[in-house]
Amino acid sequence: MRSYTEWDPLEEVIVGIVDGACFPGWHLALPPVLPADQHETFRRMAGRPFPPELVAAAAAELDEFAHILESEGVVVRRPEPIAQGRPYRTLDWTSTGMYAAMPRDALLVVGEQIIECPMAWRSRYYESLAYRPLLKEYFRGGAGWAAAPKPELTDEQFDQDWVESDPVRLVVTEFEPTFDAADFVRCGRDIFVQRSNVTNDFGIEWLRRHLGEDYRVHVVEFADAHPMHIDATLVPLAPGKLLINADRVPEVPRQFRDWDVRAAPEPVIPSSHPLYLTSKWINMNLLVLDEQRVVVERQDEPMIAAVKEFGFTPVLCDFRNFNSFGGSFHCATLDVRRSGALESYF
C-alpha cells in the first residue's frame, strides 16, 4: 500500500457502499453544513433510512463506477455493510450511524500508512468498522495502520452558542482533536488542509506531529461560509494543474501561484434534484486516475469540456443519484495504492 498524491497512476482503490444508509441523528454539528432547505428533513428523518429507491439507484451507480475503474486497470475493494440504523451509545450520548459511502472522509492514506480519523459527527463514530477487514489485510501486507485519538464528542466539543448568522464561526471547538480526511489534499511532501466544521486546529496539529518531518502540512483559508471538506474547493489534478472553486478561492494559496490555475465551470445539477448533504459544487469532486485520465459525471457537459481543455481525457460515469448522499467520485473512493515516490512539487 502506498499513495502520496492525488494524481499518481491509480492501482488500487476502495469504493464505498450505501447499504443501509440512514439519515444521521440530529445534532448541533449538522446545521452548519447542511443546505438550509434540508434542515427540517434531517430533523424529521433522524435515524431513519434514506428513501430506498434512491439508495438502490446510488448503489447501482457505485457498482457501475467500480466496473469502470476495473476496466481502466484499477483493483477495486469494497467495505463490509454494518448496521447503520442500530442505536449505539457512549458514556455521554446515544446515536445511530449513517453510511459507509465515503471512505475519503473516514480514512487518510499518507505514503505507506492508513490513518483512522477522529470524526466530529456522532453518527460517524463507528464508521471505520466497515473498513476493518480491509485495514487488517493491509496491515498484514506491511502497511502502517494508526488511529487518531478517539474523541469523546461530548457537548464541550461543540460551540453551544453557534448561530448561522455568524459566517466565520465554526461549530467544533478545540476540546479534543477532530478531523475528516476529506479536509486534506496530498501533493507529495506538501499536504494542504482547511479548518472546517469537522476539522479543528487540534486535529491538524496531531496529524502534523504524527507524520513528522517528511511532510509539510499547510493550513489554507477560503471564503466558504459552510466549510466541510476541501475537495470541492481546491482540486490538484496533476503537477502544475489546479482546479478551484472561484466562489470560494478569491486568492490562490501562494504555493500554487506558479501553477496553471483554472476555475471550475458552474455546476449544472438541476435544482429539482435532491442534494441532502452538499451543494451543487460537488461537480468538482473528481477522481484522477493518472496525469491523463479523470473520472467525470456523465451528464456534466461543462465539466467534461473543461477537463478536455485542461489536457485530460474524461472517463464518464453516471453518478448524480450518488451525489444526493453528499459526495462524488473523490469522496466515494480511497486510493490505497498509486505508483510513484515521495516528491516535492513546490
Side-chain angles (χ1 to χ4, degrees):
M1 190 190 80
R2 181 186 297 114
S3 181
Y4 294 108
T5 73
E6 307 294 335
W7 58 72
D8 282 331
L10 182 62
E11 297 179 344
E12 183 171 344
V13 69
I14 300 173
V15 173
I17 58 176
V18 288
D19 303 49
C22 292
F23 284 89
W26 184 255
H27 182 254
L28 175 63
L30 273 64
V33 296
L34 291 179
D37 62 352
Q38 292 296 329
H39 288 197
E40 180 52 38
T41 298
F42 275 71
R43 285 181 181 273
R44 177 170 45 86
M45 297 295 292
R48 297 167 63 182
F50 277 95
E53 64 278 5
L54 186 58
V55 171
E61 289 178 346
L62 282 167
D63 290 344
E64 179 61 17
F65 179 37
H67 175 72
I68 289 170
L69 291 175
E70 289 171 340
S71 71
E72 296 289 334
V74 180
V75 174
V76 175
R77 313 299 304 276
R78 309 296 294 272
E80 295 291 330
I82 59 176
Q84 302 291 349
R86 180 188 299 168
Y88 54 81
R89 65 179 301 119
T90 70
L91 296 176
D92 299 287
W93 48 265
T94 301
S95 182
T96 50
M98 190 163 71
Y99 50 40
M102 313 290 177
R104 184 75 57 179
D105 300 352
L107 302 169
L108 179 63
V109 173
V110 181
E112 298 181 356
Q113 67 174 311
I114 191 165
I115 301 166
E116 294 185 56
C117 298
M119 306 179 80
W121 284 19
R122 291 174 176 176
S123 56
R124 309 189 77 174
Y125 200 68
Y126 291 115
E127 191 167 313
S128 63
L129 293 181
Y131 307 96
R132 224 9 114 76
L134 290 171
L135 295 175
K136 289 186 282 188
E137 178 186 328
Y138 291 135
F139 179 78
R140 291 179 182 126
W145 176 16
K150 196 75 170 172
E152 298 171 77
L153 299 187
T154 60
D155 288 349
E156 291 169 284
Q157 189 71 59
F158 307 96
D159 182 352
Q160 302 297 315
D161 297 321
W162 180 90
V163 289
E164 191 164 4
S165 58
D166 186 347
V168 298
R169 191 169 186 165
L170 300 176
V171 75
V172 289
T173 69
E174 298 295 329
F175 179 65
E176 288 184 299
T178 64
F179 60 84
D180 282 11
D183 272 324
F184 296 81
V185 62
R186 302 159 305 143
C187 300
R189 292 190 183 277
D190 293 273
I191 298 173
F192 297 87
V193 58
Q194 68 169 359
R195 293 175 63 244
S196 78
N197 285 293
V198 291
T199 297
N200 60 15
D201 284 323
F202 204 167
I204 295 168
E205 182 59 24
W206 181 90
L207 185 68
R208 180 181 283 116
R209 295 189 196 182
H210 176 77
L211 294 178
E213 296 181 356
D214 286 342
Y215 298 92
R216 299 178 289 258
V217 179
H218 310 275
V219 179
V220 288
E221 296 185 359
F222 306 112
D224 186 354
H226 305 280
M228 181 179 173
H229 302 167
I230 199 172
D231 49 3
T233 299
L234 186 87
V235 181
L237 297 175
K241 295 185 177 183
L242 178 69
L243 190 69
I244 65 167
N245 182 328
D247 285 356
R248 299 176 184 168
V249 188
E251 183 176 355
V252 176
R254 62 177 178 81
Q255 292 87 353
F256 295 99
R257 288 176 189 166
D258 293 333
W259 286 34
D260 184 356
V261 180
R262 304 196 183 187
E266 291 284 335
V268 294
I269 299 175
S271 297
S272 59
H273 186 75
L275 290 176
Y276 293 109
L277 288 151
T278 186
S279 78
K280 294 181 182 182
W281 284 108
I282 200 64
N283 73 321
M284 289 183 60
N285 197 253
L286 309 174
L287 179 67
V288 179
L289 302 185
D290 53 34
E291 293 182 28
Q292 289 78 44
R293 298 171 296 162
V294 178
V295 183
V296 184
E297 214 288 323
R298 189 185 303 277
Q299 301 175 72
D300 194 345
E301 294 182 3
M303 184 62 78
I304 293 169
V307 163
K308 289 180 178 178
E309 291 170 5
F310 218 171
F312 297 95
T313 299
V315 176
L316 305 184
C317 178
D318 289 310
F319 226 49
R320 193 160 284 174
N321 291 299
F322 183 82
N323 292 161
S324 296
F325 290 87
S328 196
F329 303 111
H330 194 253
C331 294
T333 54
L334 182 70
D335 39 347
V336 295
R337 186 157 47 90
R338 290 183 182 267
S339 62
L342 180 60
E343 298 183 27
S344 179
Y345 298 92
F346 301 94

